[in-house]
Amino acid sequence: MPLASSLSYLSSFYNAPDLRLRGSLIEGKCDTVFDCHMHYSSDLDPGRFLRVIETCGYDAVALQCICKGNTRVTRTDAFAFRDLCAARLPSCEVRIFGGMDPAIYRAEQPDLIREGLISCLRELLTAGCDGIKLLEGKPNIRKMFRVPDFDGEVWAGFWEEAERRQVPVVMHVNDPEEFWTGSPDASPEEIAFRKRSGWMYDETYPNNEDQYGQMERVLERHPRLKILFPHFFFMSRQLPRLGDLLTRFPGVMTDLTPGVELFLNLSDQIEEARRFFERFQDRICYGTDIGSRQVILEEDALLNMEETASRVRLVKGFLFSERPYILTPDAYYRGPGEKQMQPLLLTETQKQKILDGNFRRFISDPVGPV
């Protein structure tokens, strides 16, 4: 985006009441809002991040630390932003989920990787992180760094310590099915972005069912593990399967961070989706993935305010609409053609749990006996 238009959009973002999720500007007041899934690196511009937090009315955010350009660890950036936010916007609480150092996986001996994972977990917690972020289950990341199987001996000590210490873990596992099979609903810009990002998968990438099986075995061995699988665990077409996991493992949570496929799939099966949200209203968290597309780039990039607004509107529209509404094309998530969306019709209690309470419990409450 050219500088002039970028600055213009930055100004309009600041005065965009339709992006606010807290207070009387929405139908149904929500007292507090916690975005559990944002990404940050220093090149995104901390001023833009502060403006997003203020405009959306966030009371708390969790920065999920992933490597800038898949190379540079960003947790020091996150700590610096937390300090800045405390000084400039003290009403907003900042939590930090530190990511693993990818250098761990360059070790040739499995025992060294095993010890590296445990050491990094302890180091992050000692440094002041509130939890752990794992991007290792994203197929292109796992292929790039040759990450060992999650249910193997290399990871055993990590999972044991995370469960014993009740460390909250946010772990990206798999991607939308469309990244393997193709997506007729994606915009041309979205398809181009997937190709540039290496998100068009073939048989050389980890198989999504293999990874689901690995994580299920991890949970069977560590049933008190506190772990949040973002993006509805990419099971928005398989709600009974996701519901089974949530029922069997009380420490498992999920969130609503987009991909647009999540909301399209839920809208297409709206009665089942409403029953799912009613049953699991204590296990679903609000998140947006703001900043992710810029952090993964190798080159420095400012936070894209237009794409950020598109994310917030996408999630907010599905959570708060009280009647059918039209999802219109944009340059980020929705391709040509309008889509009529069906509303969830959440109660005020359900909204407040999803927007704030559930993630607060995830980071603070231990998992009870299984």
Side-chain angles (χ1 to χ4, degrees):
M1 181 183 297
L3 180 58
S5 59
S6 177
L7 292 175
S8 173
Y9 198 85
L10 188 62
S11 176
S12 65
F13 188 97
Y14 187 76
N15 297 298
D18 67 312
L19 298 179
R20 193 170 181 84
L21 289 103
R22 176 168 57 85
S24 59
L25 290 172
I26 56 173
E27 293 184 23
K29 178 174 169 30
C30 287
D31 296 327
T32 52
V33 182
F34 196 145
D35 190 331
C36 78
H37 198 139
M38 300 176 75
H39 297 282
Y40 178 78
S41 61
S42 56
D43 58 295
L44 270 61
D45 180 5
R48 291 183 177 222
F49 243 75
L50 289 171
R51 181 158 292 181
V52 168
I53 290 170
E54 187 174 12
T55 300
C56 292
Y58 288 165
D59 300 274
V61 299
L63 302 182
Q64 305 293 335
C65 297
I66 61 176
C67 288
K68 171 63 182 176
N70 297 322
T71 56
R72 181 175 69 80
V73 174
T74 59
R75 65 176 175 268
T76 55
D77 299 24
F79 283 125
F81 180 79
R82 184 177 66 182
D83 293 342
L84 177 67
C85 191
R88 301 253 309 263
L89 199 61
S91 61
C92 183
E93 171 188 359
V94 177
R95 298 298 190 114
I96 296 173
F97 280 60
M100 310 304 284
D101 188 339
I104 293 170
Y105 306 112
R106 291 200 286 267
E108 295 184 0
Q109 299 179 16
D111 286 348
L112 294 178
I113 300 176
R114 185 178 189 276
E115 290 304 315
L117 291 169
I118 298 171
S119 296
C120 192
L121 167 65
R122 294 170 179 169
E123 175 190 342
L124 291 169
L125 297 178
T126 300
C129 291
D130 301 282
I132 304 299
K133 167 65 177 178
L134 296 176
L135 193 62
E136 277 79 344
K138 190 171 178 65
N140 67 312
I141 297 297
R142 188 166 178 196
K143 179 179 178 179
M144 180 187 304
F145 294 121
R146 295 181 296 176
V147 178
D149 287 349
F150 301 116
D151 60 342
E153 281 300 313
V154 167
W155 281 90
F158 176 94
W159 298 125
E160 188 280 329
E161 182 142 347
E163 180 186 41
R164 177 175 54 82
R165 298 178 65 174
Q166 288 292 280
V167 179
V169 177
V170 173
M171 183 178 184
H172 185 120
V173 176
N174 287 327
D175 263 335
E177 296 175 16
E178 292 84 353
F179 287 15
W180 282 268
T181 63
S183 172
D185 290 321
S187 68
E189 293 85 358
E190 172 68 10
I191 295 296
F193 178 78
R194 292 179 193 174
K195 290 180 178 178
R196 291 196 306 272
S197 303
W199 297 349
M200 304 292 281
Y201 303 140
D202 57 23
E203 67 279 357
T204 67
Y205 288 84
N207 178 271
N208 56 350
E209 287 300 330
D210 286 347
Q211 294 210 118
Y212 283 139
Q214 290 175 28
M215 290 313 303
E216 188 166 356
R217 287 185 286 276
V218 168
L219 291 168
E220 288 168 349
R221 296 168 190 166
H222 304 281
R224 295 183 64 247
L225 191 65
K226 291 177 66 171
I227 190 163
L228 186 153
F229 297 115
H231 312 285
F232 249 52
F233 207 7
F234 300 107
M235 289 186 179
S236 56
R237 284 199 183 106
Q238 305 178 69
L239 294 181
R241 184 181 186 183
L242 179 56
D244 177 66
L245 284 172
L246 294 172
T247 301
R248 291 163 56 201
F249 305 111
V252 172
M253 305 280 281
T254 190
D255 74 21
L256 287 165
T257 48
V260 69
E261 90 290 333
L262 192 164
F263 304 104
L264 297 178
N265 292 340
L266 294 178
S267 177
D268 286 345
Q269 49 183 335
I270 194 61
E271 294 301 329
E272 186 173 358
R274 289 169 181 161
R275 290 191 294 270
F276 187 93
F277 274 74
E278 168 65 27
R279 182 180 178 189
F280 298 110
Q281 60 186 277
D282 297 316
R283 312 287 286 281
I284 303 167
C285 303
Y286 167 76
T288 58
D289 229 359
I290 286 170
S292 60
R293 291 195 176 199
Q294 289 76 57
V295 174
I296 65 172
L297 297 174
E298 292 182 5
E299 66 273 14
D300 287 353
L302 295 171
L303 180 66
N304 185 323
M305 304 300 279
E306 188 173 0
E307 189 242 339
T308 295
S310 184
R311 286 181 179 277
V312 175
R313 291 189 177 105
L314 181 64
V315 184
K316 180 186 170 186
F318 193 65
L319 287 179
F320 287 100
S321 294
E322 296 188 350
R323 58 189 61 85
Y325 66 100
I326 300 298
L327 187 63
T328 56
D330 65 14
Y332 300 100
Y333 301 105
R334 178 67 187 162
E338 296 181 338
K339 168 73 174 179
Q340 179 162 300
M341 302 288 288
Q342 301 301 319
L344 272 176
L345 303 178
L346 298 175
T347 67
E348 299 307 309
T349 298
Q350 290 169 344
K351 291 174 188 175
Q352 191 60 64
K353 288 179 178 180
I354 291 169
L355 284 171
D356 185 89
N358 291 343
F359 194 73
R360 289 190 186 276
R361 286 191 302 99
F362 174 67
I363 59 180
S364 60
D365 295 355
V367 179
V370 178

